[in-house]
Amino acid sequence: MIAFPSLIIHMQKVLFSVKKMDEYDPHPKISIHLSCNYTVKQRFRQFFSDMLPVYEWEISASLRCLFFFTVLQYINCIVFSQSRFFAGKRLIPYMKIQFSPPDISEAEIQAVEEVLRSSWITTGSRTRELEAGIARLCGTERAICMNSQTACAEMALRLLGIGPGDEVIVPAYTYSATASVVCHVGAKLVLVDCAKDSLEMDYAQMSAAINEHTKVIIPVDLAGIPCNYQKIYEIVEEKRKYFHPSNPIQEAFGRIIISADAAHSLGASQRGIPTGSLADFSSFSFHAVKNLTTAEGGALTWRKIPGMDSDQVYKQLQLFCLHGQTIDAFDKNRLGSWAYDIVQPWYKHNLTDLAAAIGLSQLRRYPEMLARRREIIRRYDKAFCPLGIVRPIEMAGQGVACNVHYIPLPMLTAYRTMGFHIEDFPNAYASFSNEITLPLHTLLTDEEVDYIISVFSDIVRKYCIYDDKKMG
């Protein structure tokens, strides 16, 4: 079937066949058989009569490829997309589909223009407005925006006072940012394999890895699916006796702290609780490929900490993000507000109003964007449920940009150097070997989704064993 977009919607089918008189016949006969409505027939007749007076004719072998290309290009202009046959076989026109381009509308462009024309482009009122919107979405008292999810995750560890002598548990099947923040603060990285046939941590192994040095667990909401937080909380409560706090904020928790890598899961929920309120801390990504983007950026949320005011936590995180400066640039720029102090030589992770302007527009559009993604997921699920795995390079050859999430950390040089070996993480390796991430973004048209489904299905049929009855 030829998957062409349509201008005429009543075409039923176009059949082509090549008749060769013998193996070495230099002039094979090409027959065009039409079964379509009257309008389409007339247009075909006009097109073909300009070339030859009949529907069956002889054509030299040297012109055969050019003829087919010309005819197929013509069909591309007039044939309904659901009526596509070529010699009884399905053909797919080449499309080039990006993996995850940002969905930037005129609203985002206008919002950025407004900031550029204003008197303030770095951290200011729009950043604060975005923080308030994220907090509302996540059901938390406060949120703070930074220039990356990595910065958010690291500042959470620094707020908790995590450092040398402490251990932090991280899944082996994740992106480097989840683990690198542990290294940044000088704590010991402890990797745990994922469960068999799952992308989540093996919670039995996680429990076994806890000892008197364990201070934080970083679960990952891979692909936007929240981890089993109920199970994680049960385990840390069971292991409460191993927890030895070393500062007041750790004492306030009285147990191992859960700091989620929620880079993928903004807007998800579990048992009616939104991500951002599931873990003790949650760090979100607003990178260009994420569901909601600020080009680069992220946000950190936290649940109410016993005995601590959320505004106090926010203020401490602000200090971390802006060199330890007691007043930010926006407030310092006001008349008579030039005086400031530096309490510690800390870091530079603030988000600009330019980035926040993009994020605010995205946040307003987020419900409809999520709805479109869910619609595409339903179509993928319906088509791919019966299928097995596929080779990403084959998809690339058909113009579909895919990805793999992720290469397990023990396969990467930095973590091999630390002494981790992929042989110790067989489930993570199995997940990596059998995983492919297809394009799933709100700029995909229905025709592009159909194309991805067709290419994926055809490649799976080529390489995989499947049940013919299920495939249909």
Side-chain angles (χ1 to χ4, degrees), residues 292-355:
L292 183 149
T293 186
T294 58
E296 293 282 357
L300 178 67
T301 62
W302 56 94
R303 302 202 309 179
K304 178 68 177 174
I305 301 171
M308 294 191 70
D309 182 69
S310 290
D311 290 339
Q312 177 188 354
V313 174
Y314 178 84
K315 183 61 178 177
Q316 181 60 55
L317 290 167
Q318 271 191 317
L319 291 171
F320 280 147
C321 289
L322 197 63
H323 300 297
Q325 187 171 293
T326 54
I327 183 171
D328 65 27
F330 183 71
D331 291 331
K332 188 162 70 75
N333 198 51
R334 293 173 177 170
L335 290 175
S337 300
W338 59 268
Y340 65 90
D341 190 17
I342 301 291
V343 297
Q344 287 288 341
W346 279 326
Y347 318 101
K348 184 70 163 62
H349 294 312
N350 58 303
L351 188 77
T352 69
D353 268 15
L354 275 173

Side-chain angles (χ1 to χ4, degrees), residues 149-150 153 174-182 261 409 415:
Q149 181 273 339
T150 309
T174 184
Y175 184 61
S176 179
T178 315
S180 64
V181 297
V182 179
D261 181 338
L409 299 181
Y415 301 98

Side-chain angles (χ1 to χ4, degrees), residues 178-394:
T178 315
S180 64
V181 297
V182 179
C183 304
H184 295 174
V185 300
K188 180 181 178 180
L189 176 66
V190 178
L191 295 184
V192 170
D193 200 5
C194 53
K196 184 176 175 58
D197 299 323
S198 173
L199 300 181
E200 290 187 43
M201 272 193 292
D202 184 317
Y203 295 120
Q205 289 191 34
M206 185 196 82
S207 177
I210 292 173
N211 59 41
E212 64 274 10
H213 302 292
T214 305
K215 291 294 177 64
V216 176
I217 296 171
I218 306 181
V220 179
D221 295 342
L222 201 60
I225 302 172
C227 296
N228 188 344
Y229 287 98
Q230 183 175 358
K231 181 67 175 178
I232 297 171
Y233 278 114
E234 288 174 358
I235 291 171
V236 298
E237 287 297 330
E238 291 171 1
K239 299 283 184 172
R240 185 182 282 266
K241 64 182 179 181
Y242 292 103
F243 185 73
H244 302 293
S246 56
N247 58 45
I249 191 169
Q250 291 182 16
E251 289 177 0
F253 280 99
R255 55 163 172 76
I256 296 167
I257 298 102
I258 302 167
S259 183
D261 181 338
H264 294 178
S265 64
L266 183 69
S269 63
Q270 188 176 83
R271 303 186 311 279
I273 302 172
T275 54
S277 290
L278 289 168
D280 297 315
F281 293 86
S282 300
S283 50
F284 298 98
S285 174
F286 302 151
H287 181 265
V289 301
K290 296 303 187 291
N291 299 5
L292 183 149
T293 186
T294 58
E296 293 282 357
L300 178 67
T301 62
W302 56 94
R303 302 202 309 179
K304 178 68 177 174
I305 301 171
M308 294 191 70
D309 182 69
S310 290
D311 290 339
Q312 177 188 354
V313 174
Y314 178 84
K315 183 61 178 177
Q316 181 60 55
L317 290 167
Q318 271 191 317
L319 291 171
F320 280 147
C321 289
L322 197 63
H323 300 297
Q325 187 171 293
T326 54
I327 183 171
D328 65 27
F330 183 71
D331 291 331
K332 188 162 70 75
N333 198 51
R334 293 173 177 170
L335 290 175
S337 300
W338 59 268
Y340 65 90
D341 190 17
I342 301 291
V343 297
Q344 287 288 341
W346 279 326
Y347 318 101
K348 184 70 163 62
H349 294 312
N350 58 303
L351 188 77
T352 69
D353 268 15
L354 275 173
I358 301 173
L360 282 167
S361 296
Q362 293 262 298
L363 192 59
R364 295 184 191 104
R365 297 173 54 219
Y366 203 45
E368 66 186 66
M369 293 165 71
L370 286 181
R372 173 58 178 161
R373 292 173 69 89
R374 292 187 180 107
E375 179 186 352
I376 296 171
I377 289 170
R378 284 192 292 269
R379 295 181 66 178
Y380 279 167
D381 284 346
K382 182 178 179 180
F384 298 152
C385 244
L387 302 182
I389 62 172
V390 67
R391 302 181 182 183
I393 191 169
E394 295 282 346

Side-chain angles (χ1 to χ4, degrees), residues 33-155:
H33 304 282
L34 299 178
S35 175
C36 55
N37 69 25
Y38 179 77
T39 302
V40 176
K41 277 187 178 181
Q42 288 298 102
R43 295 187 65 180
F44 265 99
R45 282 171 180 155
Q46 181 180 355
F47 172 75
F48 292 132
S49 64
D50 291 339
M51 299 178 64
L52 288 169
V54 294
Y55 289 109
E56 186 170 313
W57 66 91
E58 292 185 351
I59 148 178
S60 68
S62 63
L63 293 177
R64 190 164 64 231
C65 289
L66 178 60
F67 171 81
F68 275 107
F69 176 78
T70 303
V71 171
L72 293 181
Q73 287 296 99
Y74 185 74
I75 294 172
N76 186 34
C77 295
I78 69 169
V79 180
F80 181 48
S81 60
Q82 292 185 354
S83 306
R84 47 234 186 198
F85 291 90
F86 182 82
K89 294 184 179 179
R90 183 177 192 157
L91 289 185
I92 308 297
Y94 184 83
M95 288 186 180
K96 190 172 183 179
I97 299 175
Q98 298 181 66
F99 175 67
S100 187
D103 185 344
I104 301 298
S105 71
E106 190 61 31
E108 284 85 351
I109 294 170
Q110 290 180 0
V112 170
E113 182 180 353
E114 288 175 7
V115 175
L116 289 172
R117 294 183 185 281
S118 74
S119 60
W120 197 260
I121 62 175
T122 188
T123 308
S125 60
R126 287 172 177 83
T127 303
R128 303 295 173 248
E129 186 181 351
L130 179 60
E131 290 172 344
I134 296 299
R136 285 193 298 272
L137 179 63
C138 295
T140 57
E141 292 182 354
R142 297 298 299 264
I144 186 167
C145 288
M146 303 185 199
N147 57 13
S148 71
Q149 181 273 339
T150 309
C152 293
E154 181 177 331
M155 293 308 102

